[in-house]
Amino acid sequence: MKEVGLWSVEEVSEWLVDQGMTEYSEALRNVDGRALLQLSESDFRSPPLSRVTGDNGHQLLERVETLRIANHMEVHKNGKHGSSHHTNGHVSITIGNGAISNGKIRNVEPKNGFHSEPVQIHIPLPPEHERTSFPTEWSKTGVAFLYAVCCFVTTSVVISVVHERVPTKEESPPLPDKFFDVFDRVQWAFSICEINGMLLVSMWLIQWLLLKHRAIVGRRFFFIVGTLYLYRCVTMYVTTLPVPGMHFKCSPKLVGNYEAQLWRILKMISGGGLSITGSHSMCGDYLYSGHTVMLTLTYLFIKEYSPRRFWWYHCFCLGLSAVGIFFILLAHDHYTVDVVVAYFITTRLFWWYHTMANQQILKQKSQGNTFSRVWWFFLFQYFEQNVQGIVPRNYQLPLPLPFLWRVLPGSRVVYSRLDSH
Amino acid sequence: MAASQFPDSGEHASDSSGCHVEVTVADSSQATPPRQTHPASDTLDSVRKGDERPSRLSRSFAKVLRKNQDYIRITIPVTRLDRLPPEWWKTGLVFMWAGFNLFCTTVMITVVNDRVPNKSENPPLPDKFFDYIPRQEWAFKVTEVNGMILVTAWFFQWLFLKHRSIVGRRFFFLMGTLYLYRMVTMYITTLPVPSMHMNCAPKLDGDSIGMVHRVLQLLSGGGLTITGSHMMCGDFLYSGHTVMLTLTFLFIREYSPRSLWWYHLICWLLSAVGVVFILVAHEHYSVDVVVAYFITSRLFWWYHTMANNQSLRDSPHNYLNRVWWSYFFRFMERNVRSTVPCTFSWPVQPPTACFKMPCGRYSIVQSIREE
């Protein structure tokens, strides 16, 4: 639309005809755009306008006012629209990128039906946790991962410290244990246990990568594993049990030699704490058994986050886990009480956490919610605040592999484009 | 004055079970339509207010109707009264479960005593707390005294609770389960004595009569050293004293009014001091105490969350049901339909109450009538 101030006399009379106010055409035949904008009420009181106006020019003045506003906005608009849009008054909405800004009306549609640019209204995108029940929130998963790493490092340090305090086999022989009385030691059993553990961990890793809500599930795994290892630090540290069997070869004590102790700790972390990698030659970390924790926990997670109908998969993992635990004892590598306590604590913590996460009422502190009295409740709330409901077992490839589009046509449904938009 | 008046003002029949009520009530202060069958005692008050003045025709009509009037009997299922049924027989069963477990624990201690290694063979294990704090002899007496005070306090509190059968059931169940777990951990691995001062009873090597004697001696003394009944070693993982101290404190706090904060504070102090003094006396390893506290508190909170949240019981996503004792839990708490409120009442009803009861019932009905 051409600026009103630049209208010529003909355009003004055209506009008057358009507005249905032809009675003024004669009186305003010499008025151009700028003069039109400057019309005021006093002009209507003197001839010639007073002769033709019926309402003291109110209607005309209103229309001129509208024109003025439109003109004003036209002058100050910062859009990129051309000047000749006959869009018939439809409105286009642009959505901002999460920036919370007030809705701005760029162009008002003048009442006289003048065609102008489409109106754009900014609607700010709601934050992620309001848009979906299962927001991703990788930052929280990162925090959980750091927590787990801290707990692992602390455990390694504590094992190193406790190693210095383990009584020697001569001064403190292995304690009497019922299982050891019944079953004799089998040498290769512990390697089997560790192989089982590694298998379970890798299967869980692959399964986790295929989950759709891997951020949420990963968060849970890291938190639970971290807490279990933290508890383990406490029980290992306060009381030191002697070695369970005479076959143990504990590495020599390094009293006071902090540098060597540090190397030892690093070696243990790099080897994952497994004897099969040769990284774990330290003694004293008996109550409770970390191997049992990993075997049990990976099995629980695998079972929880895989489809129910894969019963053969669950049976296989259960078998791996049970055999692994049994072989820990068969190798006389831990006392029976270590394994029992580890199993108990792992299962209880897992079930506790998941029950709290799945019930909305348990996520708040209340009188009836005695679960909220655990010390880690505030951490739990931080992690699970925005997760509404039970995490469904949906699967998704971790990376959108382009060649798969052609191989699996069903995997890229048109609808998914709308979702990701 | 309403013209349609029923001379008898209706019948108030409430059966002895309080189940169903057939009521017809005419409120003389309001004009009522001729035919009235009030559904339930709750809605007795919603008498329809008719404004019109019934004429003579309607009066005779009403008389006829009254003769042929059917009383609609509506059975109200008993709901309000039975949300927290006592069910003393369940409490009795659970009490037997706790008693049985206590007995088995005693037997187990006697068995384990034979397997405890000698002090010379297996010296006390290194313990962080023992490194810092030397042994004090009188500390264990303090612990046991605290324990006895707490148990007595809890007993009196329990006696005055209104729903004592339900709460008692919970206490016995938790105690029994904790002692069961303790049996398992004591038996599978035997820790050496925590300190050289401990004098264990000599080993019996299969002398069953001697074992029976010891079991009886332990039971009669309540397992306390202060009574001289507990001379046996080996019951270290985990600590029964910690269990009792923690459990009684948790129950005391849970089932007493929130406003009695000073009472809770005193009990907490008794409990904490008792637990710490077990370690000061070098009677248990630190790990025994830590594990005992952990297991007791978690079990208590687990049980009470399951009991207090009705929605959890039917939910399929309730992982709490995967514990092995969930079947027993359902058995015990099936009919408990709400959180047990913290109300108190006299343990024994004063005798005048039984005369009040029949009048009491009428008075309730009467008050409804007058409303």
Side-chain angles (χ1 to χ4, degrees), chain B residues 24-25 36 66 69 75 78 103 170-171 173 209 226 232-234 261 267 281 321 352:
Chain B
T24 32
V25 166
Q36 286 193 36
R66 206 173 67 232
Q69 199 169 28
T75 314
V78 191
F103 177 73
R170 294 175 175 180
F171 180 74
F173 176 74
I209 313 238
I226 211 170
M232 293 185 276
C233 306
W261 60 270
C267 290
N321 286 334
T352 52

Short mmCIF file of all heavy atoms in Angstrom, two decimals, chain B residues 24-25 36 66 69 75 78 103 170-171 173 209 226 232-234 261 267 281 321 352:
data_model
loop_
_atom_site.label_atom_id
_atom_site.label_comp_id
_atom_site.label_asym_id
_atom_site.label_seq_id
_atom_site.Cartn_x
_atom_site.Cartn_y
_atom_site.Cartn_z
N THR B 24 -39.44 -43.52 57.52
CA THR B 24 -40.34 -42.52 56.97
C THR B 24 -40.40 -41.42 58.00
O THR B 24 -40.66 -41.64 59.17
CB THR B 24 -41.75 -43.07 56.77
OG1 THR B 24 -42.01 -44.04 57.77
CG2 THR B 24 -41.89 -43.68 55.41
N VAL B 25 -40.14 -40.29 57.58
CA VAL B 25 -40.09 -39.17 58.51
C VAL B 25 -40.97 -38.08 57.98
O VAL B 25 -40.92 -37.73 56.81
CB VAL B 25 -38.65 -38.63 58.63
CG1 VAL B 25 -38.65 -37.30 59.32
CG2 VAL B 25 -37.80 -39.62 59.39
N GLN B 36 -44.23 -40.47 51.04
CA GLN B 36 -42.83 -40.22 51.41
C GLN B 36 -42.11 -41.53 51.61
O GLN B 36 -42.52 -42.36 52.41
CB GLN B 36 -42.75 -39.48 52.73
CG GLN B 36 -43.11 -38.04 52.60
CD GLN B 36 -42.71 -37.33 53.85
OE1 GLN B 36 -41.68 -37.66 54.44
NE2 GLN B 36 -43.50 -36.40 54.27
N ARG B 66 -51.25 -44.14 52.54
CA ARG B 66 -50.49 -44.59 53.70
C ARG B 66 -50.80 -46.04 54.02
O ARG B 66 -49.94 -46.80 54.42
CB ARG B 66 -50.84 -43.70 54.90
CG ARG B 66 -49.71 -43.66 55.91
CD ARG B 66 -49.98 -42.64 56.99
NE ARG B 66 -51.11 -43.02 57.82
CZ ARG B 66 -52.13 -42.20 58.07
NH1 ARG B 66 -52.17 -41.02 57.52
NH2 ARG B 66 -53.13 -42.58 58.84
N GLN B 69 -49.03 -48.10 51.62
CA GLN B 69 -47.67 -47.63 51.35
C GLN B 69 -46.67 -48.77 51.50
O GLN B 69 -46.69 -49.52 52.47
CB GLN B 69 -47.32 -46.53 52.34
CG GLN B 69 -46.18 -45.67 51.91
CD GLN B 69 -46.10 -44.47 52.82
OE1 GLN B 69 -46.51 -44.53 53.96
NE2 GLN B 69 -45.57 -43.38 52.30
N THR B 75 -30.81 -51.50 51.73
CA THR B 75 -29.72 -52.02 52.56
C THR B 75 -28.49 -51.15 52.35
O THR B 75 -28.03 -50.99 51.23
CB THR B 75 -29.39 -53.45 52.12
OG1 THR B 75 -30.61 -54.15 51.98
CG2 THR B 75 -28.52 -54.12 53.14
N VAL B 78 -22.30 -51.81 55.20
CA VAL B 78 -21.57 -51.19 56.30
C VAL B 78 -20.20 -50.77 55.79
O VAL B 78 -19.36 -51.60 55.49
CB VAL B 78 -21.40 -52.19 57.44
CG1 VAL B 78 -20.90 -51.48 58.66
CG2 VAL B 78 -22.69 -52.89 57.73
N PHE B 103 12.40 -67.15 68.98
CA PHE B 103 12.87 -68.43 69.48
C PHE B 103 13.95 -69.02 68.57
O PHE B 103 15.00 -69.49 69.02
CB PHE B 103 11.68 -69.39 69.60
CG PHE B 103 12.07 -70.75 70.04
CD1 PHE B 103 12.44 -70.99 71.34
CD2 PHE B 103 12.08 -71.82 69.14
CE1 PHE B 103 12.81 -72.25 71.76
CE2 PHE B 103 12.45 -73.08 69.55
CZ PHE B 103 12.81 -73.30 70.87
N ARG B 170 1.53 -54.71 63.04
CA ARG B 170 2.65 -54.20 62.26
C ARG B 170 3.96 -54.34 63.02
O ARG B 170 4.98 -54.74 62.47
CB ARG B 170 2.41 -52.73 61.92
CG ARG B 170 1.24 -52.53 61.01
CD ARG B 170 0.95 -51.08 60.76
NE ARG B 170 -0.12 -50.97 59.77
CZ ARG B 170 -0.60 -49.82 59.34
NH1 ARG B 170 -0.12 -48.69 59.81
NH2 ARG B 170 -1.58 -49.80 58.47
N PHE B 171 3.90 -54.01 64.31
CA PHE B 171 5.13 -54.08 65.10
C PHE B 171 5.65 -55.51 65.16
O PHE B 171 6.85 -55.75 64.94
CB PHE B 171 4.85 -53.55 66.50
CG PHE B 171 6.05 -53.57 67.39
CD1 PHE B 171 7.06 -52.65 67.22
CD2 PHE B 171 6.18 -54.51 68.39
CE1 PHE B 171 8.18 -52.66 68.02
CE2 PHE B 171 7.29 -54.52 69.21
CZ PHE B 171 8.29 -53.59 69.02
N PHE B 173 5.06 -57.97 63.15
CA PHE B 173 5.53 -58.46 61.86
C PHE B 173 6.93 -57.95 61.55
O PHE B 173 7.81 -58.70 61.12
CB PHE B 173 4.57 -58.05 60.75
CG PHE B 173 5.05 -58.46 59.40
CD1 PHE B 173 4.99 -59.77 59.00
CD2 PHE B 173 5.60 -57.53 58.54
CE1 PHE B 173 5.46 -60.17 57.77
CE2 PHE B 173 6.07 -57.91 57.31
CZ PHE B 173 6.00 -59.23 56.92
N ILE B 209 21.32 -81.03 75.60
CA ILE B 209 20.66 -80.57 76.83
C ILE B 209 21.22 -79.24 77.27
O ILE B 209 20.50 -78.32 77.67
CB ILE B 209 20.85 -81.61 77.97
CG1 ILE B 209 20.56 -83.00 77.47
CG2 ILE B 209 20.08 -81.18 79.18
CD1 ILE B 209 19.51 -83.73 78.18
N ILE B 226 22.49 -57.34 80.67
CA ILE B 226 22.33 -56.76 81.99
C ILE B 226 21.62 -57.74 82.92
O ILE B 226 21.79 -57.67 84.14
CB ILE B 226 21.53 -55.43 81.86
CG1 ILE B 226 21.95 -54.45 82.92
CG2 ILE B 226 20.06 -55.65 81.85
CD1 ILE B 226 21.40 -53.08 82.70
N MET B 232 26.68 -65.55 75.23
CA MET B 232 27.15 -66.22 74.02
C MET B 232 27.61 -65.22 72.98
O MET B 232 27.16 -64.08 72.95
CB MET B 232 26.03 -67.08 73.47
CG MET B 232 25.75 -68.23 74.41
SD MET B 232 24.57 -69.34 73.75
CE MET B 232 23.08 -68.52 74.22
N CYS B 233 28.49 -65.67 72.15
CA CYS B 233 29.06 -64.81 71.12
C CYS B 233 28.63 -65.29 69.75
O CYS B 233 28.11 -66.38 69.60
CB CYS B 233 30.60 -64.85 71.18
SG CYS B 233 31.23 -64.47 72.79
N GLY B 234 28.92 -64.48 68.78
CA GLY B 234 28.70 -64.90 67.40
C GLY B 234 27.54 -64.20 66.74
O GLY B 234 27.39 -64.26 65.52
N TRP B 261 6.63 -32.82 70.29
CA TRP B 261 7.97 -32.85 69.74
C TRP B 261 9.01 -33.15 70.81
O TRP B 261 10.05 -33.77 70.53
CB TRP B 261 8.30 -31.51 69.05
CG TRP B 261 8.21 -30.34 69.97
CD1 TRP B 261 7.12 -29.57 70.21
CD2 TRP B 261 9.26 -29.83 70.78
NE1 TRP B 261 7.43 -28.61 71.12
CE2 TRP B 261 8.74 -28.73 71.48
CE3 TRP B 261 10.60 -30.18 70.98
CZ2 TRP B 261 9.50 -28.00 72.37
CZ3 TRP B 261 11.36 -29.45 71.87
CH2 TRP B 261 10.80 -28.37 72.55
N CYS B 267 12.96 -39.48 72.93
CA CYS B 267 13.10 -40.85 72.45
C CYS B 267 14.22 -40.95 71.42
O CYS B 267 14.95 -41.94 71.40
CB CYS B 267 11.78 -41.33 71.83
SG CYS B 267 10.52 -41.57 73.08
N ALA B 281 31.12 -49.37 73.74
CA ALA B 281 31.41 -50.53 74.59
C ALA B 281 32.13 -51.64 73.83
O ALA B 281 32.42 -52.68 74.41
CB ALA B 281 30.10 -51.07 75.16
N ASN B 321 5.60 -54.88 45.57
CA ASN B 321 5.01 -56.20 45.71
C ASN B 321 5.96 -57.32 45.40
O ASN B 321 5.60 -58.48 45.48
CB ASN B 321 3.79 -56.32 44.79
CG ASN B 321 2.63 -55.55 45.33
OD1 ASN B 321 2.54 -55.35 46.52
ND2 ASN B 321 1.76 -55.11 44.46
N THR B 352 -19.59 -48.33 82.96
CA THR B 352 -20.83 -47.61 82.65
C THR B 352 -21.08 -47.54 81.16
O THR B 352 -22.18 -47.27 80.72
CB THR B 352 -20.77 -46.18 83.20
OG1 THR B 352 -19.54 -45.58 82.74
CG2 THR B 352 -20.77 -46.19 84.71
#
